Amino acid sequence: MRKGRTGESARTGRPHTAWVLPGVLFFAFFAVAPMALAFYLSFTKWNGLGDPEPVGLANWEKLLQDPRLTQSLTVTVLLTVVSWAFQTVVSLLLGVWAAGRQRNRAFLSAVFFVPFLLSSTAISLLFYALLDPNFGIIRRDTLGTTSGAFLAIVFVGGWQFIPFHTLIYQGGARQIPEVLYQAAAMDGAGRYRQFFSITLPQLRNTMTTSSVLMIVGSLTYFETVLILTQGGPGTDTAILPYLMYEAGFKSYDFGYASALASFLVVAATALSLLLVRLSGFGAMRSTREGM
């Protein structure tokens, strides 16, 4: 009877499989189905009207032979690396600080989170006005130079998404057992030594999670580039999503745009899986004391 009651209790405490059905249906309808449709369209010729015309591997051959692809891929990778470095350093420091007991910490943390609540379009329009060479706060053509346009995209993206990653690091830092810092203090370790010897190692898995989100987000930048630079000056900031936009909504070549989209999905997925594999995130175990 005791064993039966234990088994019944375990079955009762476990959520039923039906609870995942809404999430699975939502993901299938809004993520899997569009990706499958884009992959199908990548083997067709379609201008948005009529029926798609099958063309085999023509769009993929065009993709591999497109001279703009190399430059666009280079800009995309560079933007991803610089954005990751900028956002990781700032959000890590802010997150660790926000996890402490400083005065007005809760109020300032709420203020820091405000940019993430705004849309990318609104933020891009705001900074486009601020960077206007005639009426903005900087009386120079910042967006008219390659370095200025690139750094503007990095800064605007970081200004919006650093609060989100700060929240991730804040949650991770609060899970670090306080006894570790107490023991380090008794051994004479200062604040900086505790940060590099305790905080950073304990936040390794948190950093992996944040990095995957940053990388995927950087690979899918679009509104910021479209509004701030429109791929310019010239094609110096024409990243892959913007190249896809031009192919689909300027040239009306939705087959080639779908090939670019499929390539971007495969690249982002492969890069994320590689990062998870190299970081050991798949074999993650809790680092909390006693767990």
Side-chain angles (χ1 to χ4, degrees):
M1 289 294 294
R2 184 179 301 175
K3 183 177 180 181
R5 291 177 181 175
T6 303
E8 182 179 353
S9 176
R11 288 194 299 270
T12 304
R14 175 180 296 181
H16 196 274
T17 308
W19 286 103
V20 305
L21 189 59
V24 170
L25 292 177
F26 184 88
F27 181 76
F29 185 77
F30 290 101
V32 177
M35 286 190 293
L37 179 60
F39 186 71
Y40 163 73
L41 290 176
S42 67
F43 298 98
T44 66
K45 180 180 180 181
W46 189 46
N47 62 359
L49 299 175
D51 297 328
E53 177 185 346
V55 293
L57 297 175
N59 289 321
W60 291 95
E61 293 175 355
K62 179 181 178 181
L63 175 66
L64 297 177
Q65 297 172 1
D66 192 344
R68 299 176 301 172
L69 179 64
T70 302
Q71 179 191 12
S72 181
L73 188 59
T74 301
V75 174
T76 303
V77 171
L78 185 60
L79 176 66
T80 300
V81 173
V82 176
S83 297
W84 174 84
F86 172 57
Q87 294 184 32
T88 297
V89 172
V90 178
S91 59
L92 173 61
L93 295 177
L94 286 176
V96 172
W97 173 84
R101 299 183 177 87
Q102 297 85 354
R103 187 178 182 181
N104 298 324
R105 173 190 53 78
F107 172 75
L108 292 176
S109 297
V111 172
F112 292 158
F113 195 73
V114 170
F116 184 69
L117 302 178
L118 305 177
S119 69
S120 298
T121 302
I123 291 175
S124 300
L125 288 172
L126 171 64
F127 277 95
Y128 183 78
L130 292 176
L131 296 175
D132 187 279
N134 298 315
F135 307 102
I137 59 176
I138 302 178
R139 296 303 177 87
R140 55 180 298 181
D141 191 10
T142 304
L143 300 177
T145 63
T146 301
S147 58
F150 182 85
L151 292 178
I153 294 173
V154 172
F155 178 80
V156 172
W159 190 81
Q160 179 181 13
F161 293 108
I162 280 176
F164 172 70
H165 296 282
T166 296
L167 189 64
I168 294 178
Y169 283 113
Q170 180 184 8
R174 286 184 174 178
Q175 299 303 311
I176 301 176
E178 186 65 26
V179 66
L180 297 179
Y181 295 103
Q182 295 173 355
M186 292 179 61
D187 290 338
R191 180 174 300 179
Y192 294 101
R193 181 61 182 273
Q194 292 178 18
F195 177 79
F196 287 103
S197 299
I198 298 177
T199 306
L200 279 183
Q202 292 289 315
L203 291 177
R204 184 187 65 178
N205 296 319
T206 304
M207 186 177 296
T208 301
T209 303
S210 174
S211 297
V212 170
L213 295 174
M214 285 184 190
I215 291 173
V216 173
S218 299
L219 288 174
T220 55
Y221 271 162
F222 175 69
E223 302 100 319
T224 305
V225 175
L226 176 65
I227 295 174
L228 285 182
T229 67
Q230 295 185 358
T235 58
D236 291 340
T237 58
I239 57 177
L240 283 175
Y242 186 80
L243 204 65
M244 178 182 64
Y245 161 77
E246 284 190 326
F249 295 95
K250 287 188 175 182
S251 301
Y252 297 101
D253 189 355
F254 289 99
Y256 182 57
S258 298
L260 284 167
S262 301
F263 173 78
L264 190 60
V265 168
V266 172
T269 303
L271 192 57
S272 300
L273 293 176
L274 179 63
L275 180 61
V276 170
R277 180 66 180 272
L278 294 178
S279 63
F281 185 81
M284 179 183 69
R285 294 293 184 271
S286 175
T287 55
R288 296 186 61 186
E289 184 182 34
M291 298 184 66

